[in-house]
Amino acid sequence: MKKQLALLFFLVTTFYSYSQEYEVTGKVIDETTKEPLEASTIYAETIKDSTMVSYTISDQTGSFILDLNSAQKKLNLYIIYNGYSPVKKTITLDKKIIALGEIALALQAEQLEGVSVVGERIPITIKKDTLEFNADSFKTRPDANVEDVLKKLPGVEVDTDGNITVNGKEVNKVLVNGQVFFSDDPKVATKSLPKEIIDKIQISDTKSKTQEFTGDEGDGENKTINITIKKDKNKGYMGRASLGYGTDERYQVNGLLNYFKNKERISFIASSNNINNAGFSFDDVYDMVGNTRGGYSTLTDNGLINSYGRGITTSSTVGASYANAEKDAYELSANYFFAYSDSYNDQKTSRENLLPEGSFFTNSESRFDGSTNSNSGSANLEFDIDETLRISLDPSLNVTRTNSMDTSMTNSTDVDGELSNSNETQTLDDGLQRSFSNSLNIIKKLDTVGKFVRVTFSNNNSKNENESNFQSTREVFGDDPTLESVNQFTETDNRTDSYQVGVSYRQPLGNQFFLDFGYDYEDKKQRNENDVLDFNENTLAYDDFNDDLSTNFEFSNTQQRPSFGIRRDGEKWRWRVGADYALTDIDNQDYLHEGTFERSYENLLLSASSSYRFSQNSRFRVNYRTNIDVPSVGQLQPVINISNPLNIRQGNPDLDVSKTHRLSLNFNNFNWRERTGVFLYAGGEIQDDKVVSVTTTDENLLRTTTYTNVNGNYNTYLGFGYSKQIKKDTTYTIKLNFRPNMSYSKDVSFSNGQELTSKQFSITPRISTTFNYLELIEIEPGYDISYNNTKYNIDRLDDVEFISHTATFRTTTYWPENVVWGNDINYNYNGNVSDEFDKDALFWNMSLGYQFFKKKATFKVLAYDLLNQNNNVRRTTGADYIQDYQSTVLTQYFMASLSFKFDQFGGKPGPGGGRGGRHIRM
């Protein structure tokens, strides 16, 4: 060990002794027009082995500054611009500043073989709205996955949960060869695909199907990453398997197998665990630790895992996926999953209810046990009939069976601690849910300048059948004590059918201006049959029909929405203004109570958006839109709901629709030379006629709730982000992030008939960094502090003010060779949690692994919650309450695991088993 440390020290000392800093300057122009070529890629490589030393991007004037730190005497320099012949120069590092002057590039008349080889080495290319990175240009450890490569890319951040952002924008889709990889969750691809098979990583704005086909820009709110597979790796199979068992009978087993053949892919997945893990991660360090925050990450939309309730879940999943495509002909993907889970959760809640004349307190303890199994399948089918006509279908089918038992005990006390009422409940549920949805999208281009027509049809049909046994005992104390018991059996048969059809048309007005016309029609019907039967003491059976609690109604919501818009799609400046006229008709036919009503609403909804691109790296966006929210049938129906004896509810048929005005602004800029990113965002929303609860509380602290519309609700937010990457050749990389944000909101509600206004302000500065040294150690510290303040318009109510702290520290070491050591430490402190709960906790996961069989296998020992402090205590606040709660979470366990990777591409074993298809560089 001492010899290894001495050697490492010698190598580092030698590097710093001989490497020097240099600066290469120049300007890239068009050979013919002499116009500057913005976003040209300039990079330097060593002559001996073509190792990339540094790269940069030219600015708006075509100028560039390339910073070098190297001990080499000469380097190869490449200047590349899409559509132009590249230029190669050999530069001598004999002075600090090397001025190259103007470098003229000629239009590329034909694709030469040599040029193609050079092109595959370009570290970064900017193509209109797409950033393209060459995975091989970014050094990682040999067994790295896609997530490890993303952490190296400038402007890209990956947090400890695997969530990805690009210069502040969330990545919501990761594709492989342009297709969804198993599911819509990006982590399935980023955590399981090895770097060795990756060719390019392309980042662009997320687009809708119409935007993809017509070539329109995305709205810029989210990003999509497309991973392309190397040609010599795009035929073969890739597999991952792991098995772990630990104390308290904790276990995890999972497997993933992918077969690639050009555009065709067949995948299988299977997993089972009782540690709240999604089951698809094959990270060598942190893949068997569930969720460190006490929550539960699920993939219910795609069937990969099926959680039911909260707490601790045991889940099992098997699934298969198929994808294939042929350029200009079709693209299809389909998957099927079976998932089973059972979970349990004990929860303790302490709630202060704020009233104008005095607070009262509600304390409850509950227990949930539930299980579910589901079969789900979905497909994405896209056909290009010809270059002007595309038809796509997206069917999805799901059948889920649920079974649960939920018990709770609730006590209410006044401000003096005197007991006012109590309620004990037990609910047994057995349900079956079935749903089918589909969307049809037909787009026809009518010319080559942007004219098109689009027709859409979608449906969503669901049915919920449930049998439930509800038992409750409510006791009211005080001067007039009462005791009420309820024992009921309920049969539920609910059905929802929604159909929507739409047509849109775009008419060009010259090269940059377009008119958009549209019409959408939606018809949604909800049928609710809820038969409540009381237990009959005489017959000892549930045969006494409860007319008050039973329901039988049909609620329909029909909406027509003609729309008009005008847009400008310029090279730098794009904008759109539009208007929708929403005609909404609702009708409720009640066959059991006097709850029949009908209403009509008409609303003009305006929208506008604009984006201006200052350069390839800098852009400003602003968006405004209005939306309406139709009240739910429960808020409208004038029928008394006494299912909760402590809070009786009744709807209000005179409610108006809520209208929300939203405004958002965003600016982002990335300086490629400095590796510095800046983004600003701000926005807010104002709500007109917001539907709020009107609750009155009697002397026994029993509540009655109805609903009304109020104005004056709004919220605003402001945030800033700064990122900086510091790279010293191949020695170390540092990424810094500073992200403060603040919010301010006003909430108007009612408490005991009196208007209650709360104003909430919060500010949270966050700072984090990632330090990587020689791919041997990676350190990720982070810290944020959150200040929260809530003020009320009623003098009697005290302001709520508290500070929370969160500190994280994550380390991963890959030294000595074949040894992987990981630590994940999280400290949380909430200064305002009540004394009944722990205010802070230090959460520490640790793993130690050894890689063997040429790093194809890893044996690991993991300690979860090493200090045994995980408590899952949280505080939430609302307009008229402050609530603390604590629920069941995973506690300390130790687990030993074995994982194995097996790959074969192009007929040869993959990395670690004899390299299949070595990539030859010029």
Side-chain angles (χ1 to χ4, degrees):
M1 178 68 74
K2 291 182 179 180
K3 291 183 178 179
Q4 290 173 312
L5 286 171
L7 177 61
L8 181 63
F9 178 77
F10 172 76
L11 292 175
V12 174
T13 304
T14 302
F15 172 81
Y16 280 108
S17 298
Y18 288 96
S19 65
Q20 298 184 50
E21 294 185 356
Y22 303 92
E23 193 175 88
V24 181
T25 65
K27 182 178 181 178
V28 188
I29 62 172
D30 183 290
E31 183 182 65
T32 304
T33 65
K34 308 302 180 183
E35 292 292 324
L37 296 178
E38 180 189 359
S40 299
T41 303
I42 302 95
Y43 65 99
E45 292 182 346
T46 59
I47 295 176
K48 181 180 179 181
D49 56 6
S50 298
T51 299
M52 190 183 71
V53 178
S54 184
Y55 69 93
T56 191
I57 301 292
S58 63
D59 61 18
Q60 288 176 284
T61 67
S63 301
F64 67 87
I65 301 175
L66 178 65
D67 293 320
L68 298 174
N69 187 297
S70 178
Q72 302 290 319
K73 296 299 181 182
K74 292 185 178 182
L75 295 172
N76 284 332
L77 184 75
Y78 295 92
I79 301 94
I80 310 292
Y81 189 81
N82 191 39
Y84 286 72
S85 297
V87 169
K88 174 186 175 183
K89 290 178 178 289
T90 299
I91 58 174
T92 302
L93 304 181
D94 55 0
K95 49 188 175 181
K96 293 294 183 182
I97 300 178
I98 303 168
L100 300 180
E102 290 187 344
I103 304 168
L105 301 187
L107 282 170
Q108 190 168 284
E110 57 181 311
Q111 187 78 18
L112 302 177
E113 185 178 355
V115 172
S116 176
V117 176
V118 172
E120 292 185 8
R121 299 205 311 267
I122 303 173
I124 180 173
T125 305
I126 299 179
K127 301 177 180 179
K128 292 185 178 179
D129 60 348
T130 300
L131 281 173
E132 183 177 273
F133 296 94
N134 182 1
D136 284 340
S137 295
F138 297 88
K139 183 183 177 184
T140 60
R141 65 182 192 273
D143 58 332
N145 57 23
V146 172
E147 185 178 283
D148 297 315
V149 183
L150 292 174
K151 290 180 178 180
K152 305 295 182 183
L153 304 183
V156 180
E157 303 298 330
V158 183
D159 67 16
T160 55
D161 294 323
N163 301 310
I164 310 164
T165 56
V166 178
N167 208 13
K169 293 294 184 181
E170 178 187 358
V171 173
N172 66 337
K173 187 184 296 184
V174 172
L175 308 176
V176 178
N177 284 343
Q179 298 171 290
V180 173
F181 185 74
F182 230 116
S183 88
D184 290 331
D185 191 295
K187 293 186 284 292
V188 179
T190 60
K191 287 184 175 293
S192 63
L193 289 177
K195 178 203 173 182
E196 189 69 19
I197 72 172
I198 303 304
D199 183 20
K200 302 290 193 300
I201 297 176
Q202 301 162 335
I203 303 176
S204 60
D205 291 339
T206 300
K207 294 184 177 182
S208 66
K209 291 182 179 295
T210 301
Q211 290 169 336
E212 289 176 357
F213 190 58
T214 60
D216 287 348
E217 282 193 344
D219 59 15
E221 293 301 314
N222 299 103
K223 294 289 184 179
T224 292
I225 291 179
N226 181 46
I227 300 166
T228 65
I229 307 295
K230 292 177 179 177
K231 291 182 180 179
D232 61 336
K233 306 290 185 184
N234 208 19
K235 187 176 293 185
Y237 64 83
M238 181 202 75
R240 302 287 183 267
S242 64
L243 172 66
Y245 188 80
T247 58
D248 297 331
E249 299 185 340
R250 298 294 172 203
Y251 76 92
Q252 173 166 311
V253 56
N254 56 34
L256 175 68
L257 178 65
N258 289 284
Y259 170 76
F260 296 92
K261 187 178 180 181
N262 300 322
K263 287 286 187 178
E264 186 177 27
R265 175 184 55 80
I266 303 174
S267 303
F268 299 94
I269 194 170
S271 71
S272 181
N273 71 85
N274 61 357
I275 56 173
N276 288 8
N277 195 299
F280 55 80
S281 170
F282 295 89
D283 188 288
D284 287 334
V285 187
Y286 300 108
D287 66 340
M288 292 189 176
V289 295
N291 188 292
T292 61
R293 309 298 182 263
Y296 189 24
S297 175
T298 65
L299 294 174
T300 53
D301 291 340
N302 300 285
L304 286 184
I305 203 165
N306 217 6
S307 79
Y308 189 40
R310 302 180 64 86
I312 296 178
T313 298
T314 300
S315 63
S316 299
T317 302
V318 293
S321 173
Y322 176 80
N324 202 353
E326 182 178 326
K327 187 178 180 181
D328 300 325
Y330 65 85
E331 182 176 316
L332 58 91
S333 63
N335 60 63
Y336 164 78
F337 297 100
F338 170 79
Y340 169 83
S341 73
D342 62 72
S343 60
Y344 67 90
N345 181 44
D346 293 314
Q347 183 165 304
K348 178 182 177 182
T349 303
S350 178
R351 176 169 176 150
E352 180 182 359
N353 303 278
L354 307 176
L355 299 177
E357 62 277 4
S359 299
F360 73 95
F361 301 86
T362 304
N363 296 297
S364 64
E365 294 184 7
S366 63
R367 168 82 183 195
F368 175 88
D369 290 274
S371 65
T372 179
N373 68 76
S374 69
N375 291 270
S376 61
S378 63
N380 184 294
L381 313 173
E382 196 171 275
F383 303 95
D384 288 339
I385 309 303
D386 55 45
E387 63 181 11
T388 67
L389 179 61
R390 173 174 291 178
I391 300 175
S392 61
L393 285 166
D394 296 283
S396 177
L397 177 66
N398 182 274
V399 179
T400 301
R401 187 91 192 190
T402 59
N403 187 278
S404 68
M405 180 177 72
D406 200 346
T407 60
S408 68
M409 181 174 182
T410 304
N411 295 318
S412 297
T413 58
D414 59 23
V415 70
D416 297 321
E418 294 295 328
L419 188 63
S420 298
N421 60 65
S422 67
N423 190 36
E424 293 185 38
T425 65
Q426 176 180 281
T427 305
L428 302 176
D429 281 309
D430 186 8
L432 176 64
Q433 298 85 40
R434 288 166 288 183
S435 65
F436 172 73
S437 64
N438 185 35
S439 64
L440 170 67
N441 193 13
I442 303 173
I443 309 175
K444 172 69 175 178
K445 295 180 182 177
L446 302 178
D447 60 20
T448 59
V449 293
K451 182 189 295 186
F452 71 85
V453 63
R454 172 173 165 261
V455 178
T456 61
F457 172 81
S458 63
N459 65 280
N460 196 323
N461 309 95
S462 63
K463 187 175 178 64
N464 178 17
E465 298 173 333
N466 190 73
E467 293 182 350
S468 175
N469 177 239
F470 174 74
Q471 298 181 44
S472 170
T473 301
R474 186 187 74 174
E475 188 171 4
V476 176
F477 305 95
D479 297 334
D480 188 18
T482 60
L483 180 65
E484 295 181 4
S485 296
V486 175
N487 187 357
Q488 297 170 336
F489 181 80
T490 302
E491 292 181 316
T492 298
D493 186 0
N494 295 337
R495 184 184 182 97
T496 300
D497 297 290
S498 175
Y499 300 92
Q500 184 174 3
V501 62
V503 60
S504 58
Y505 171 76
R506 176 171 296 174
Q507 175 63 48
L509 299 175
N511 293 329
Q512 295 184 342
F513 291 90
F514 303 87
L515 292 179
D516 289 330
F517 302 90
Y519 175 80
D520 288 287
Y521 177 86
E522 180 181 14
D523 181 66
K524 182 178 181 180
K525 286 185 170 57
Q526 297 174 253
R527 182 62 190 257
N528 180 291
E529 294 184 55
N530 204 40
D531 294 338
V532 180
L533 304 171
D534 290 321
F535 185 75
N536 192 324
E537 296 288 349
N538 297 322
T539 62
L540 300 179
Y542 293 98
D543 56 11
D544 189 1
F545 186 78
N546 190 314
D547 185 79
D548 292 331
L549 292 182
S550 299
T551 58
N552 188 350
F553 64 87
E554 185 174 282
F555 181 76
S556 66
N557 182 344
T558 303
Q559 188 172 103
Q560 301 179 69
R561 187 175 288 206
S563 62
F564 169 77
I566 182 171
R567 62 191 299 148
R568 179 187 188 272
D569 290 344
E571 188 67 24
K572 289 185 176 249
W573 187 30
R574 293 171 175 258
W575 55 261
R576 179 188 183 277
V577 293
D580 294 14
Y581 194 74
L583 299 95
T584 306
D585 295 305
I586 61 174
D587 179 78
N588 189 72
Q589 296 296 322
D590 197 315
Y591 305 109
L592 194 59
H593 304 110
E594 296 180 358
T596 297
F597 60 89
E598 59 181 46
R599 295 291 306 275
S600 295
Y601 310 98
E602 296 184 15
N603 292 274
L604 178 64
L605 309 178
L606 303 177
S607 63
S609 63
S610 177
S611 69
Y612 186 82
R613 183 172 60 83
F614 298 97
S615 68
Q616 290 281 9
N617 316 317
S618 178
R619 177 171 295 185
F620 174 78
R621 284 190 174 93
V622 58
N623 289 281
Y624 166 79
R625 66 183 184 274
T626 52
N627 294 94
I628 58 171
D629 186 16
V630 178
S632 67
V633 62
Q635 294 170 332
L636 288 165
Q637 199 170 31
V639 177
I640 296 177
N641 183 345
I642 57 175
S643 58
N644 181 357
L646 299 182
N647 189 5
I648 300 172
R649 296 179 177 271
Q650 182 176 12
N652 176 9
D654 296 324
L655 290 176
D656 204 348
V657 298
S658 300
K659 181 184 288 188
T660 304
H661 308 265
R662 291 187 174 92
L663 177 69
S664 63
L665 302 94
N666 178 273
F667 170 79
N668 60 76
N669 179 48
F670 196 88
N671 185 320
W672 293 102
R673 176 178 177 252
E674 302 291 341
R675 307 288 193 274
T676 301
V678 176
F679 63 91
L680 298 165
Y681 60 92
E685 64 179 38
I686 299 174
Q687 294 176 289
D688 296 332
D689 293 317
K690 180 183 178 181
V691 177
V692 299
S693 302
V694 180
T695 300
T696 57
T697 305
D698 64 18
E699 64 277 4
N700 296 315
L701 304 184
L702 302 178
R703 289 168 288 166
T704 303
T705 299
T706 185
Y707 304 92
T708 190
N709 295 108
V710 297
N711 292 316
N713 289 274
Y714 64 82
N715 68 75
T716 60
Y717 59 89
L718 172 67
F720 167 77
Y722 172 83
S723 64
K724 172 73 174 178
Q725 185 184 66
I726 303 170
K727 182 173 170 55
K728 207 68 170 179
D729 205 350
T730 57
T731 308
Y732 68 81
T733 303
I734 301 174
K735 274 191 173 183
L736 300 172
N737 285 288
F738 180 54
R739 296 187 178 181
N741 65 78
M742 64 180 66
S743 65
Y744 182 77
S745 64
K746 177 185 176 183
D747 195 292
V748 180
S749 60
F750 289 89
S751 181
N752 255 14
Q754 183 175 344
E755 183 175 295
L756 175 63
T757 300
S758 63
K759 296 180 179 180
Q760 297 177 322
F761 172 76
S762 70
I763 180 169
T764 305
R766 295 185 176 94
I767 187 168
S768 63
T769 183
T770 301
F771 173 77
N772 185 288
Y773 180 72
L774 291 176
E775 297 303 322
L776 297 177
I777 182 170
E778 188 164 89
I779 302 173
E780 303 173 73
Y783 173 74
D784 66 71
I785 179 172
S786 179
Y787 169 78
N788 299 269
N789 182 278
T790 303
K791 296 180 180 294
Y792 298 95
N793 65 322
I794 299 175
D795 294 336
R796 192 206 59 77
L797 298 179
D798 296 329
D799 295 344
V800 178
E801 185 177 26
F802 63 95
I803 294 177
S804 300
H805 303 265
T806 300
T808 59
F809 188 74
R810 194 173 194 181
T811 65
T812 311
T813 62
Y814 302 91
W815 186 82
E817 187 176 3
N818 297 323
V819 175
V820 184
W821 181 33
N823 291 274
D824 187 4
I825 303 173
N826 185 283
Y827 174 76
N828 290 285
Y829 174 83
N830 190 331
N832 205 41
V833 173
S834 67
D835 294 335
E836 297 180 33
F837 301 93
D838 294 331
K839 295 180 181 292
D840 64 347
L842 182 63
F843 191 75
W844 186 357
N845 295 329
M846 180 189 294
S847 72
L848 184 64
Y850 180 76
Q851 298 175 321
F852 54 100
F853 287 160
K854 297 182 179 180
K855 297 191 176 182
K856 304 296 289 183
T858 301
F859 176 77
K860 181 174 61 179
V861 177
L862 180 139
Y864 179 86
D865 190 14
L866 188 63
L867 303 179
N868 202 24
Q869 290 192 21
N870 196 14
N871 55 27
N872 197 29
V873 174
R874 301 183 185 182
R875 162 159 287 202
T876 58
T877 60
D880 60 353
Y881 71 88
I882 303 169
Q883 179 172 286
D884 298 320
Y885 68 93
Q886 183 175 17
S887 60
T888 300
V889 291
L890 282 171
T891 54
Q892 184 186 79
Y893 68 84
F894 300 88
M895 180 177 287
S897 68
L898 179 66
S899 61
F900 189 74
K901 307 173 184 178
F902 48 96
D903 307 327
Q904 183 169 315
F905 302 101
K908 300 179 181 180
R915 295 188 182 275
R918 181 178 175 84
H919 184 59
I920 299 175
R921 303 180 107 179
M922 179 177 170

